[in-house]
Amino acid sequence: MKRIWEWTGIDTIASREAEREAPGAGQVEIRIRSIGICGTDLHIMSGHAGFGEPPLPLGHELSGVVERLGAGVSGWQIGDRVCIDPLIGCGTCAECRAGNKHRCSAAGEIGLQFPGGWQEYLVVPAANLYRLPDSIGFDEATQAETLHCCLGGIDKLDIRLGQHAVVLGDGPTGLYYVQLLKAAGVSRVTLIGMQDSRLALGRRLGADAAVNLRQAEAGDRLPEAETQDIVIDAAGNEASIQLGIELLKRGGELLLFGLPGERIKVDVQTAVLKELRLLGSTNAPHVWPRVLDMMASGRVQVQPLITQRYRFDQLDQAIAFARDSSGEAVKIIVNNDEPREESR
Ligand SMILES: [Zn+2]
Ligand SMILES: [Zn+2]
């Protein structure tokens, strides 16, 4: 048996015992060690995401240890430390064959549409595992998932050394984008957000300036209009995207990464007249090895973003804190260092 946490209905979760599933051909059973709590989890739980059906264990930011191997699995051994790419494509369509399973119309994700890692044990395809370098701990490793989305966005931009960039949104993805832009050679990164503590963290992680939009003098401290080569929107709302369009130079690039919860209105006329390039970005299955390399080499830091840790049996408390802390939390991690004896 194993202990699992399930999303059970609008904003509710519950814990129960479940049968442990044996890994089938090509599959591996993972003992989950760390789980990142993500805004997407809260969004799904609210019932507004439009995907996932309760009851369902969520959890897509995952790391753990190989526990059992299914038939025909090679290259993995019991005890290997791994992180999990949650994205599963059909494997046969043109996009999947081209290595773009994130564009597969039949794709789904572990922890979004498929059972996720809010469990002591999870069976996943062996093809979705990445080996962790020794220097990356389990808690940090959960963030390879978030970081891979961000690095996929960076790859889409035409970044040149010495450019100026703005990151809109001071959540985890905004804080990762600050670090990636600096690593990519951008000379001045301005982080724009709503929470002083997160903005201060952004400064420590390399942002050259940080502006809190809630403060009266924010307007004076923003970069001038039409000065930025690159804007990354990691906030996903009408005001942030509109601000991005205003701040960009003519010919600049706007990376649309934050997901608006509804249809929004933006000033397309200005975008056309300024000849902006608007790019959408979600996942990037081919960048995982580079993400792990960036983490292992210290070019991207994850630890400073981890603000709270909970035990697996406190997952409901972790979710409640994520929902109620109004921005105090940056990244909450749930650990399961010691599974209970009876579940081994
Ligand atoms: Zn996430
Ligand atoms: Zn496909």
PDB file of all heavy atoms in Angstrom, residues 17-43:
ATOM      1  N   GLU A  17      -5.106   5.672   1.813  1.00  0.00           N
ATOM      2  CA  GLU A  17      -4.238   4.588   1.385  1.00  0.00           C
ATOM      3  C   GLU A  17      -4.680   4.121   0.010  1.00  0.00           C
ATOM      4  O   GLU A  17      -5.870   4.124  -0.299  1.00  0.00           O
ATOM      5  CB  GLU A  17      -4.360   3.395   2.350  1.00  0.00           C
ATOM      6  CG  GLU A  17      -3.918   3.683   3.762  1.00  0.00           C
ATOM      7  CD  GLU A  17      -2.406   3.573   3.931  1.00  0.00           C
ATOM      8  OE1 GLU A  17      -1.825   2.598   3.427  1.00  0.00           O
ATOM      9  OE2 GLU A  17      -1.821   4.481   4.549  1.00  0.00           O
ATOM     10  N   ALA A  18      -3.714   3.732  -0.836  1.00  0.00           N
ATOM     11  CA  ALA A  18      -4.048   3.207  -2.162  1.00  0.00           C
ATOM     12  C   ALA A  18      -3.122   2.034  -2.470  1.00  0.00           C
ATOM     13  O   ALA A  18      -2.057   1.896  -1.861  1.00  0.00           O
ATOM     14  CB  ALA A  18      -3.895   4.297  -3.217  1.00  0.00           C
ATOM     15  N   GLU A  19      -3.544   1.203  -3.403  1.00  0.00           N
ATOM     16  CA  GLU A  19      -2.709   0.089  -3.840  1.00  0.00           C
ATOM     17  C   GLU A  19      -1.469   0.626  -4.541  1.00  0.00           C
ATOM     18  O   GLU A  19      -1.560   1.577  -5.315  1.00  0.00           O
ATOM     19  CB  GLU A  19      -3.465  -0.795  -4.856  1.00  0.00           C
ATOM     20  CG  GLU A  19      -4.547  -1.661  -4.292  1.00  0.00           C
ATOM     21  CD  GLU A  19      -4.018  -2.744  -3.373  1.00  0.00           C
ATOM     22  OE1 GLU A  19      -2.829  -3.157  -3.517  1.00  0.00           O
ATOM     23  OE2 GLU A  19      -4.784  -3.173  -2.484  1.00  0.00           O
ATOM     24  N   ARG A  20      -0.332  -0.008  -4.304  1.00  0.00           N
ATOM     25  CA  ARG A  20       0.847   0.326  -5.099  1.00  0.00           C
ATOM     26  C   ARG A  20       0.737  -0.380  -6.432  1.00  0.00           C
ATOM     27  O   ARG A  20       0.406  -1.555  -6.495  1.00  0.00           O
ATOM     28  CB  ARG A  20       2.106  -0.149  -4.387  1.00  0.00           C
ATOM     29  CG  ARG A  20       2.823   0.971  -3.690  1.00  0.00           C
ATOM     30  CD  ARG A  20       3.956   0.447  -2.871  1.00  0.00           C
ATOM     31  NE  ARG A  20       5.187   0.292  -3.646  1.00  0.00           N
ATOM     32  CZ  ARG A  20       6.327  -0.109  -3.103  1.00  0.00           C
ATOM     33  NH1 ARG A  20       6.384  -0.422  -1.828  1.00  0.00           N
ATOM     34  NH2 ARG A  20       7.416  -0.210  -3.849  1.00  0.00           N
ATOM     35  N   GLU A  21       1.024   0.399  -7.480  1.00  0.00           N
ATOM     36  CA  GLU A  21       0.891  -0.083  -8.853  1.00  0.00           C
ATOM     37  C   GLU A  21       2.239  -0.678  -9.264  1.00  0.00           C
ATOM     38  O   GLU A  21       3.279  -0.103  -8.950  1.00  0.00           O
ATOM     39  CB  GLU A  21       0.579   1.161  -9.680  1.00  0.00           C
ATOM     40  CG  GLU A  21       0.145   0.996 -11.091  1.00  0.00           C
ATOM     41  CD  GLU A  21       0.093   2.379 -11.767  1.00  0.00           C
ATOM     42  OE1 GLU A  21      -0.077   3.399 -11.066  1.00  0.00           O
ATOM     43  OE2 GLU A  21       0.266   2.409 -12.984  1.00  0.00           O
ATOM     44  N   ALA A  22       2.225  -1.809  -9.958  1.00  0.00           N
ATOM     45  CA  ALA A  22       3.486  -2.390 -10.439  1.00  0.00           C
ATOM     46  C   ALA A  22       3.872  -1.708 -11.747  1.00  0.00           C
ATOM     47  O   ALA A  22       3.007  -1.463 -12.590  1.00  0.00           O
ATOM     48  CB  ALA A  22       3.329  -3.877 -10.657  1.00  0.00           C
ATOM     49  N   PRO A  23       5.163  -1.383 -11.944  1.00  0.00           N
ATOM     50  CA  PRO A  23       5.554  -0.754 -13.207  1.00  0.00           C
ATOM     51  C   PRO A  23       5.416  -1.723 -14.367  1.00  0.00           C
ATOM     52  O   PRO A  23       5.852  -2.866 -14.278  1.00  0.00           O
ATOM     53  CB  PRO A  23       7.017  -0.359 -12.974  1.00  0.00           C
ATOM     54  CG  PRO A  23       7.489  -1.230 -11.857  1.00  0.00           C
ATOM     55  CD  PRO A  23       6.290  -1.566 -11.021  1.00  0.00           C
ATOM     56  N   GLY A  24       4.754  -1.280 -15.437  1.00  0.00           N
ATOM     57  CA  GLY A  24       4.599  -2.102 -16.626  1.00  0.00           C
ATOM     58  C   GLY A  24       5.813  -1.988 -17.530  1.00  0.00           C
ATOM     59  O   GLY A  24       6.832  -1.386 -17.174  1.00  0.00           O
ATOM     60  N   ALA A  25       5.698  -2.547 -18.739  1.00  0.00           N
ATOM     61  CA  ALA A  25       6.810  -2.506 -19.694  1.00  0.00           C
ATOM     62  C   ALA A  25       7.199  -1.054 -19.966  1.00  0.00           C
ATOM     63  O   ALA A  25       6.336  -0.213 -20.227  1.00  0.00           O
ATOM     64  CB  ALA A  25       6.410  -3.211 -20.977  1.00  0.00           C
ATOM     65  N   GLY A  26       8.487  -0.790 -19.862  1.00  0.00           N
ATOM     66  CA  GLY A  26       8.980   0.562 -20.146  1.00  0.00           C
ATOM     67  C   GLY A  26       8.739   1.558 -19.031  1.00  0.00           C
ATOM     68  O   GLY A  26       9.058   2.737 -19.172  1.00  0.00           O
ATOM     69  N   GLN A  27       8.185   1.091 -17.917  1.00  0.00           N
ATOM     70  CA  GLN A  27       7.880   2.007 -16.806  1.00  0.00           C
ATOM     71  C   GLN A  27       8.793   1.755 -15.607  1.00  0.00           C
ATOM     72  O   GLN A  27       9.385   0.674 -15.473  1.00  0.00           O
ATOM     73  CB  GLN A  27       6.424   1.817 -16.363  1.00  0.00           C
ATOM     74  CG  GLN A  27       5.410   2.231 -17.408  1.00  0.00           C
ATOM     75  CD  GLN A  27       3.997   2.038 -16.914  1.00  0.00           C
ATOM     76  OE1 GLN A  27       3.682   1.073 -16.229  1.00  0.00           O
ATOM     77  NE2 GLN A  27       3.126   2.981 -17.260  1.00  0.00           N
ATOM     78  N   VAL A  28       8.841   2.738 -14.742  1.00  0.00           N
ATOM     79  CA  VAL A  28       9.666   2.668 -13.537  1.00  0.00           C
ATOM     80  C   VAL A  28       8.820   3.180 -12.377  1.00  0.00           C
ATOM     81  O   VAL A  28       8.063   4.142 -12.535  1.00  0.00           O
ATOM     82  CB  VAL A  28      10.928   3.555 -13.712  1.00  0.00           C
ATOM     83  CG1 VAL A  28      11.709   3.660 -12.414  1.00  0.00           C
ATOM     84  CG2 VAL A  28      11.813   3.007 -14.825  1.00  0.00           C
ATOM     85  N   GLU A  29       8.940   2.512 -11.220  1.00  0.00           N
ATOM     86  CA  GLU A  29       8.285   3.057 -10.032  1.00  0.00           C
ATOM     87  C   GLU A  29       9.297   3.936  -9.288  1.00  0.00           C
ATOM     88  O   GLU A  29      10.422   3.518  -9.023  1.00  0.00           O
ATOM     89  CB  GLU A  29       7.790   1.942  -9.104  1.00  0.00           C
ATOM     90  CG  GLU A  29       6.995   2.515  -7.919  1.00  0.00           C
ATOM     91  CD  GLU A  29       6.705   1.484  -6.841  1.00  0.00           C
ATOM     92  OE1 GLU A  29       7.641   0.731  -6.462  1.00  0.00           O
ATOM     93  OE2 GLU A  29       5.564   1.430  -6.361  1.00  0.00           O
ATOM     94  N   ILE A  30       8.867   5.155  -8.969  1.00  0.00           N
ATOM     95  CA  ILE A  30       9.717   6.123  -8.278  1.00  0.00           C
ATOM     96  C   ILE A  30       9.204   6.306  -6.863  1.00  0.00           C
ATOM     97  O   ILE A  30       7.990   6.476  -6.659  1.00  0.00           O
ATOM     98  CB  ILE A  30       9.686   7.493  -9.002  1.00  0.00           C
ATOM     99  CG1 ILE A  30      10.092   7.359 -10.468  1.00  0.00           C
ATOM    100  CG2 ILE A  30      10.573   8.515  -8.272  1.00  0.00           C
ATOM    101  CD1 ILE A  30      11.484   6.857 -10.696  1.00  0.00           C
ATOM    102  N   ARG A  31      10.102   6.261  -5.883  1.00  0.00           N
ATOM    103  CA  ARG A  31       9.734   6.718  -4.541  1.00  0.00           C
ATOM    104  C   ARG A  31       9.922   8.231  -4.537  1.00  0.00           C
ATOM    105  O   ARG A  31      11.027   8.723  -4.713  1.00  0.00           O
ATOM    106  CB  ARG A  31      10.615   6.076  -3.477  1.00  0.00           C
ATOM    107  CG  ARG A  31      10.304   6.628  -2.093  1.00  0.00           C
ATOM    108  CD  ARG A  31      10.714   5.677  -0.989  1.00  0.00           C
ATOM    109  NE  ARG A  31      12.115   5.775  -0.628  1.00  0.00           N
ATOM    110  CZ  ARG A  31      12.634   6.751   0.128  1.00  0.00           C
ATOM    111  NH1 ARG A  31      11.860   7.741   0.542  1.00  0.00           N
ATOM    112  NH2 ARG A  31      13.906   6.756   0.447  1.00  0.00           N
ATOM    113  N   ILE A  32       8.813   8.933  -4.421  1.00  0.00           N
ATOM    114  CA  ILE A  32       8.856  10.403  -4.509  1.00  0.00           C
ATOM    115  C   ILE A  32       9.530  10.961  -3.251  1.00  0.00           C
ATOM    116  O   ILE A  32       9.154  10.622  -2.129  1.00  0.00           O
ATOM    117  CB  ILE A  32       7.423  10.977  -4.657  1.00  0.00           C
ATOM    118  CG1 ILE A  32       6.760  10.468  -5.953  1.00  0.00           C
ATOM    119  CG2 ILE A  32       7.462  12.508  -4.622  1.00  0.00           C
ATOM    120  CD1 ILE A  32       7.382  10.950  -7.226  1.00  0.00           C
ATOM    121  N   ARG A  33      10.528  11.791  -3.449  1.00  0.00           N
ATOM    122  CA  ARG A  33      11.253  12.388  -2.318  1.00  0.00           C
ATOM    123  C   ARG A  33      10.874  13.855  -2.100  1.00  0.00           C
ATOM    124  O   ARG A  33      10.779  14.303  -0.973  1.00  0.00           O
ATOM    125  CB  ARG A  33      12.768  12.259  -2.553  1.00  0.00           C
ATOM    126  CG  ARG A  33      13.280  10.837  -2.378  1.00  0.00           C
ATOM    127  CD  ARG A  33      13.239  10.391  -0.924  1.00  0.00           C
ATOM    128  NE  ARG A  33      14.035  11.272  -0.081  1.00  0.00           N
ATOM    129  CZ  ARG A  33      15.299  11.040   0.255  1.00  0.00           C
ATOM    130  NH1 ARG A  33      15.903   9.934  -0.150  1.00  0.00           N
ATOM    131  NH2 ARG A  33      15.965  11.900   1.002  1.00  0.00           N
ATOM    132  N   SER A  34      10.710  14.624  -3.169  1.00  0.00           N
ATOM    133  CA  SER A  34      10.349  16.032  -2.987  1.00  0.00           C
ATOM    134  C   SER A  34       9.341  16.447  -4.047  1.00  0.00           C
ATOM    135  O   SER A  34       9.372  15.959  -5.186  1.00  0.00           O
ATOM    136  CB  SER A  34      11.575  16.942  -3.074  1.00  0.00           C
ATOM    137  OG  SER A  34      12.487  16.662  -2.048  1.00  0.00           O
ATOM    138  N   ILE A  35       8.454  17.359  -3.624  1.00  0.00           N
ATOM    139  CA  ILE A  35       7.380  17.855  -4.482  1.00  0.00           C
ATOM    140  C   ILE A  35       7.367  19.374  -4.368  1.00  0.00           C
ATOM    141  O   ILE A  35       7.326  19.906  -3.255  1.00  0.00           O
ATOM    142  CB  ILE A  35       6.005  17.324  -3.990  1.00  0.00           C
ATOM    143  CG1 ILE A  35       5.989  15.796  -3.904  1.00  0.00           C
ATOM    144  CG2 ILE A  35       4.863  17.850  -4.872  1.00  0.00           C
ATOM    145  CD1 ILE A  35       4.892  15.250  -2.994  1.00  0.00           C
ATOM    146  N   GLY A  36       7.400  20.060  -5.489  1.00  0.00           N
ATOM    147  CA  GLY A  36       7.227  21.514  -5.475  1.00  0.00           C
ATOM    148  C   GLY A  36       5.747  21.844  -5.561  1.00  0.00           C
ATOM    149  O   GLY A  36       5.005  21.225  -6.332  1.00  0.00           O
ATOM    150  N   ILE A  37       5.304  22.789  -4.724  1.00  0.00           N
ATOM    151  CA  ILE A  37       3.921  23.272  -4.827  1.00  0.00           C
ATOM    152  C   ILE A  37       3.923  24.436  -5.816  1.00  0.00           C
ATOM    153  O   ILE A  37       4.723  25.357  -5.712  1.00  0.00           O
ATOM    154  CB  ILE A  37       3.385  23.730  -3.460  1.00  0.00           C
ATOM    155  CG1 ILE A  37       3.472  22.586  -2.429  1.00  0.00           C
ATOM    156  CG2 ILE A  37       1.961  24.257  -3.593  1.00  0.00           C
ATOM    157  CD1 ILE A  37       2.642  21.367  -2.762  1.00  0.00           C
ATOM    158  N   CYS A  38       3.023  24.367  -6.798  1.00  0.00           N
ATOM    159  CA  CYS A  38       3.035  25.312  -7.919  1.00  0.00           C
ATOM    160  C   CYS A  38       1.695  26.043  -7.981  1.00  0.00           C
ATOM    161  O   CYS A  38       0.653  25.485  -7.601  1.00  0.00           O
ATOM    162  CB  CYS A  38       3.257  24.519  -9.203  1.00  0.00           C
ATOM    163  SG  CYS A  38       3.219  25.505 -10.710  1.00  0.00           S
ATOM    164  N   GLY A  39       1.731  27.262  -8.480  1.00  0.00           N
ATOM    165  CA  GLY A  39       0.491  28.000  -8.693  1.00  0.00           C
ATOM    166  C   GLY A  39      -0.498  27.221  -9.540  1.00  0.00           C
ATOM    167  O   GLY A  39      -1.721  27.335  -9.360  1.00  0.00           O
ATOM    168  N   THR A  40       0.027  26.400 -10.453  1.00  0.00           N
ATOM    169  CA  THR A  40      -0.853  25.596 -11.302  1.00  0.00           C
ATOM    170  C   THR A  40      -1.672  24.612 -10.469  1.00  0.00           C
ATOM    171  O   THR A  40      -2.839  24.350 -10.771  1.00  0.00           O
ATOM    172  CB  THR A  40      -0.022  24.835 -12.356  1.00  0.00           C
ATOM    173  OG1 THR A  40       0.739  25.790 -13.089  1.00  0.00           O
ATOM    174  CG2 THR A  40      -0.908  24.067 -13.318  1.00  0.00           C
ATOM    175  N   ASP A  41      -1.060  24.075  -9.399  1.00  0.00           N
ATOM    176  CA  ASP A  41      -1.805  23.162  -8.517  1.00  0.00           C
ATOM    177  C   ASP A  41      -3.032  23.884  -7.937  1.00  0.00           C
ATOM    178  O   ASP A  41      -4.136  23.336  -7.918  1.00  0.00           O
ATOM    179  CB  ASP A  41      -0.928  22.676  -7.358  1.00  0.00           C
ATOM    180  CG  ASP A  41       0.299  21.907  -7.817  1.00  0.00           C
ATOM    181  OD1 ASP A  41       0.202  21.196  -8.828  1.00  0.00           O
ATOM    182  OD2 ASP A  41       1.343  22.023  -7.154  1.00  0.00           O
ATOM    183  N   LEU A  42      -2.798  25.108  -7.458  1.00  0.00           N
ATOM    184  CA  LEU A  42      -3.901  25.870  -6.854  1.00  0.00           C
ATOM    185  C   LEU A  42      -4.964  26.202  -7.900  1.00  0.00           C
ATOM    186  O   LEU A  42      -6.163  26.185  -7.620  1.00  0.00           O
ATOM    187  CB  LEU A  42      -3.368  27.161  -6.221  1.00  0.00           C
ATOM    188  CG  LEU A  42      -2.256  26.995  -5.182  1.00  0.00           C
ATOM    189  CD1 LEU A  42      -1.850  28.352  -4.628  1.00  0.00           C
ATOM    190  CD2 LEU A  42      -2.686  26.065  -4.058  1.00  0.00           C
ATOM    191  N   HIS A  43      -4.479  26.508  -9.108  1.00  0.00           N
ATOM    192  CA  HIS A  43      -5.382  26.845 -10.204  1.00  0.00           C
ATOM    193  C   HIS A  43      -6.269  25.641 -10.555  1.00  0.00           C
ATOM    194  O   HIS A  43      -7.489  25.782 -10.713  1.00  0.00           O
ATOM    195  CB  HIS A  43      -4.540  27.285 -11.404  1.00  0.00           C
ATOM    196  CG  HIS A  43      -5.320  27.903 -12.512  1.00  0.00           C
ATOM    197  ND1 HIS A  43      -6.254  28.897 -12.318  1.00  0.00           N
ATOM    198  CD2 HIS A  43      -5.305  27.665 -13.842  1.00  0.00           C
ATOM    199  CE1 HIS A  43      -6.778  29.231 -13.474  1.00  0.00           C
ATOM    200  NE2 HIS A  43      -6.230  28.506 -14.414  1.00  0.00           N
TER     201      HIS A  43
END
